[in-house]
Amino acid sequence: MTAKLIKGTDIREEILDEITKEVAEIKEKYNQVPGLVTILVGENPASVSYVTLKVKTAERVGFKEIQDNQPEDISEADLLALIDKYNKDDSIHGILVQLPLPKHVDEKKVLNAIDPDKDVDGFHPVNVGRLMIGGDEVKFPPCTPAGIQEMIVRAGVETSGAEVVVVGRSNIVGKPIANMMVQKGPGANSTVTIVHTRTKDLEGHCKRADILIVAAGVPGLVKPEWIKPGACVIDVGVNRVGEKISEKTGRKVAILRGDVDFDAAKEIAGAITPVPGGVGPMTITMLLFNTLESARRHLSAGV
Ligand code: GUN
């Protein structure tokens, strides 16, 4: 059997088209467009390339986008003052501070300074709490887990009553996606197990999964014999395992490998995400979706 490929690159295009239409409707109704500010401190090359892509994609869907670059040696007080400025700016509905931050800045303090109603990353403790409560309380589901859930739903995979096994317990992926899949509601209602480095029988748990979500950061961790035939496999791993020369650009690019042995797994799974081109493209897409929703709430004064 060859699994159905769940392509993030295709789903991204669908969602970005939907967002573009909704931006036009918001503009028509309120004479304003969603506003996103991306604050980048320093020049970490990975961060620069993430932020560049975020800005480009935000502009493509018609957002007001501010790329606010700050020097590496900005003081914590100045960064907090900058966040406060955007918290008070009515044309801005989403504030993103690109991580990691330089060592002299307290990351927790900075993230906690963002107005929870503009925290489109969903990293503020208030939003983590809202996610835990579920239902109408949720304002900003964190972007990668939101992308995973959207992919599962759009691939037509049944989640209600499904055994979901999440490999990895990070605050950014493992814990929130487990929490989202266990909630009442569409795209959820699952029975969820989180497994991690101290789990005794990793293979045994994975074998039970109707939906296997792997966010361990270990290339090729999940072997094909760990996969239940017909299961849906979501591979969140983006591991750099080497470099190659791109045929397109002639430049050096990273060779990426997921946490799942893809070539063998696709012969057993019912549906599977590739790496690259799977979960990766969904993160920025859901960031823009969160910003759109925030704009809608602020402009209708519901916040
Ligand atoms: N750095 C790498 N990924 C992310 C992300 O999703 N959000 C923020 N704020 N920083 C990041």
Side-chain angles (χ1 to χ4, degrees):
M1 184 171 76
T2 298
K4 167 183 171 165
L5 210 54
I6 309 176
K7 285 187 172 174
T9 41
D10 290 351
I11 299 174
R12 169 184 61 193
E13 294 307 307
E14 276 174 38
I15 297 176
L16 291 181
D17 285 349
E18 291 163 17
I19 294 176
T20 306
K21 284 193 192 115
E22 292 183 49
V23 171
E25 284 169 22
I26 286 179
K27 191 170 179 190
E28 173 85 23
K29 193 164 174 189
Y30 300 105
N31 196 27
Q32 203 178 325
V33 294
L36 172 67
V37 61
T38 309
I39 300 172
L40 172 65
V41 179
E43 289 171 8
N44 172 319
S47 294
V48 170
S49 81
Y50 272 135
V51 166
T52 305
L53 191 58
K54 278 174 195 168
V55 171
K56 231 171 77 182
T57 317
E59 285 172 351
R60 172 183 153 185
V61 297
F63 284 10
K64 167 182 167 168
E65 162 66 44
I66 298 176
Q67 182 176 354
D68 194 331
N69 290 357
Q70 295 294 328
E72 179 85 20
D73 62 355
I74 185 173
S75 71
E76 189 179 280
D78 284 352
L79 189 55
L80 293 173
L82 189 68
I83 291 170
D84 190 48
K85 181 183 94 170
Y86 289 119
N87 280 342
K88 291 177 178 146
D89 183 339
D90 286 341
S91 73
I92 294 297
H93 311 106
I95 301 171
L96 182 140
V97 179
Q98 185 68 23
L99 303 176
L101 288 170
K103 291 215 164 40
H104 68 276
V105 177
D106 182 345
E107 199 163 281
K108 210 153 102 182
K109 221 175 184 179
V110 168
L111 293 181
N112 290 1
I114 298 172
D115 177 351
D117 292 328
K118 294 188 178 185
D119 168 40
V120 283
D121 255 333
F123 293 165
H124 193 290
V126 166
N127 286 316
V128 177
R130 286 168 169 167
L131 191 78
M132 186 68 151
I133 296 166
D136 291 349
E137 284 290 326
V138 181
K139 296 229 163 131
F140 299 113
C143 304
T144 302
I148 293 169
Q149 192 177 38
E150 197 64 32
M151 293 177 100
I152 294 171
V153 170
R154 289 186 188 232
V157 175
E158 179 60 81
T159 59
S160 181
E163 290 281 345
V164 171
V165 175
V166 178
V167 184
R169 52 178 163 177
S170 69
N171 287 331
I172 292 183
V173 184
K175 282 192 266 184
I177 188 63
N179 183 34
M180 288 160 76
M181 298 306 292
V182 84
Q183 300 287 354
K184 282 185 183 168
N189 282 323
S190 307
T191 302
V192 180
T193 306
I194 304 183
V195 298
H196 47 77
T197 44
R198 300 293 174 96
T199 297
K200 285 190 183 128
D201 182 13
L202 204 54
E203 178 175 349
H205 284 291
C206 290
K207 274 181 170 160
R208 283 190 298 103
D210 300 311
I211 301 173
L212 182 60
I213 301 170
V214 193
V218 180
L221 172 73
V222 172
K223 308 289 177 270
E225 60 272 21
W226 296 16
I227 295 168
K228 181 172 164 180
C232 170
V233 179
I234 307 288
D235 189 351
V236 192
V238 185
N239 307 291
R240 288 165 188 256
V241 294
E243 284 183 338
K244 63 177 180 185
I245 302 294
S246 162
E247 281 175 20
K248 250 197 220 161
T249 62
R251 281 201 229 137
K252 250 194 217 168
V253 290
I255 301 171
L256 301 178
R257 195 165 162 220
D259 289 351
V260 177
D261 178 353
F262 177 81
D263 288 333
K266 76 177 193 313
E267 302 303 322
I268 299 163
I272 189 166
T273 60
V275 176
V279 175
M282 295 300 292
T283 302
I284 292 179
T285 306
M286 300 317 289
L287 171 80
L288 299 183
F289 183 78
N290 277 351
T291 309
L292 174 79
E293 290 294 298
S294 179
R296 228 202 292 268
R297 283 194 293 265
H298 279 90
L299 293 170
S300 66
V303 183

